[in-house]
Amino acid sequence: MQTFPISVCGGASGSLYVVNLEEEKVIAKAQGVHDGQVSKEQQAGRPSINTAKQAMEKLYGRIDGGGVIAVQMHGDIVASSGREGGVKLSRITKYENDMHTSDNLEDIVDGDLIPLGSIHELQKTIVTSLKFDSNGNLWCGCYDGTIRAYNMSDTSTAQFPPPQKPLFQSDFTDSVLDMDLCEDLNLGVAATADGGAALFDMSTGQFFAGMMLFDGYACRSVVIVKLCRNDAF
């Protein structure tokens, strides 16, 4: 499903907003999906408050505005993570009284985000980055030093997402703070809290190269840039 110019945004209060950038309108939203702040002990099975605070300082320094950590959208499915740990999934839907009959997101005038569930295996870790690939796999970079890929291509089941193990799990030397993918090169890169960037194979998750970029400082963000060479002048 074509989603441009549709964007999903996470708010400081922990809410999610789906926005039509061309029309400058919020077309769907869900309030309080994630914790706004880490201010008390988390419930059993969640990261501790100390872990959450350490992760937020690694991600944002000493200035933390609160709210959602990462969001990604694939078709009408939204994946989001918060400081309480784990990944939650929602579907964009229009209200029944919406006069539009098209399935295109651009045609939604007023809608909502319907919760679909969460990925239970991730509840004990803070997910710092999310990426969907073209096959519907959801890639999760985690503060526990792992990158995990889940198949989210089938969203038709009544109990989506069904209990499942990741397609694979890769372990890195330190907490993963950001991640990027390049499907053309079958290449992924993870930015880690020890100041490094690590390359991995998207087919297997196997780490194969890395470099230390910032000695004593965290590497907070990373992106893969493809350079196009044109030898004809």
Side-chain angles (χ1 to χ4, degrees):
M1 181 185 294
Q2 177 61 265
T3 56
F4 180 81
I6 306 301
S7 177
V8 61
C9 309
S13 66
S15 301
L16 298 175
Y17 304 88
V18 181
V19 182
N20 186 319
L21 298 174
E22 194 169 57
E23 298 183 3
E24 300 181 358
K25 291 181 179 179
V26 175
I27 62 174
K29 61 184 178 181
Q31 303 289 340
V33 178
H34 299 282
D35 289 354
Q37 293 288 348
V38 178
S39 59
K40 60 183 182 296
E41 288 291 342
Q42 306 296 317
Q43 62 188 32
R46 299 287 188 174
S48 70
I49 187 171
N50 289 334
T51 299
K53 287 183 175 180
Q54 289 170 7
M56 296 311 106
E57 186 166 331
K58 290 289 187 183
L59 286 168
Y60 308 121
R62 296 188 180 276
I63 301 176
D64 175 18
V68 179
I69 294 176
V71 291
Q72 274 284 291
M73 182 167 59
H74 182 75
D76 60 353
I77 300 299
V78 173
S80 60
S81 65
R83 57 207 64 223
E84 73 277 5
V87 171
K88 295 182 179 180
L89 299 126
S90 310
R91 175 178 280 116
I92 304 167
T93 183
K94 57 189 175 184
Y95 290 136
E96 292 182 359
N97 60 0
D98 195 330
M99 297 300 295
H100 291 276
T101 58
S102 171
D103 290 331
N104 291 329
L105 295 182
E106 292 92 334
D107 294 330
I108 296 177
V109 175
D110 199 5
D112 215 339
L113 284 169
I114 304 302
L116 296 177
S118 59
I119 301 177
H120 299 293
E121 294 172 349
L122 292 174
Q123 289 181 347
K124 294 183 180 181
T125 186
I126 293 171
V127 178
T128 59
S129 54
L130 295 166
K131 300 285 183 184
F132 275 108
D133 64 26
S134 60
N135 296 318
N137 296 322
L138 177 61
W139 295 69
C140 306
C142 304
Y143 191 70
D144 65 0
T146 63
I147 286 181
R148 315 182 196 194
Y150 296 85
N151 189 340
M152 296 284 112
S153 59
D154 183 9
T155 62
S156 61
T157 59
Q159 296 181 346
F160 172 79
Q164 58 181 308
K165 293 182 179 180
L167 300 178
F168 57 74
Q169 174 177 316
S170 298
D171 295 285
F172 295 87
T173 57
D174 206 339
S175 300
V176 175
L177 302 185
D178 195 23
M179 169 187 58
D180 196 25
L181 307 173
C182 181
E183 293 186 70
D184 289 345
L185 301 175
N186 199 39
L187 175 70
V189 61
T192 55
D194 58 6
L199 300 176
F200 59 92
D201 187 315
M202 287 183 61
S203 297
T204 64
Q206 183 65 45
F207 164 81
F208 64 85
M211 63 170 51
M212 188 60 61
L213 301 176
F214 308 105
D215 189 12
Y217 297 91
C219 184
R220 293 182 182 171
S221 59
V222 67
V223 64
I224 299 174
V225 178
K226 286 179 60 182
L227 298 178
C228 297
R229 293 187 59 188
N230 187 351
D231 295 328
F233 293 96

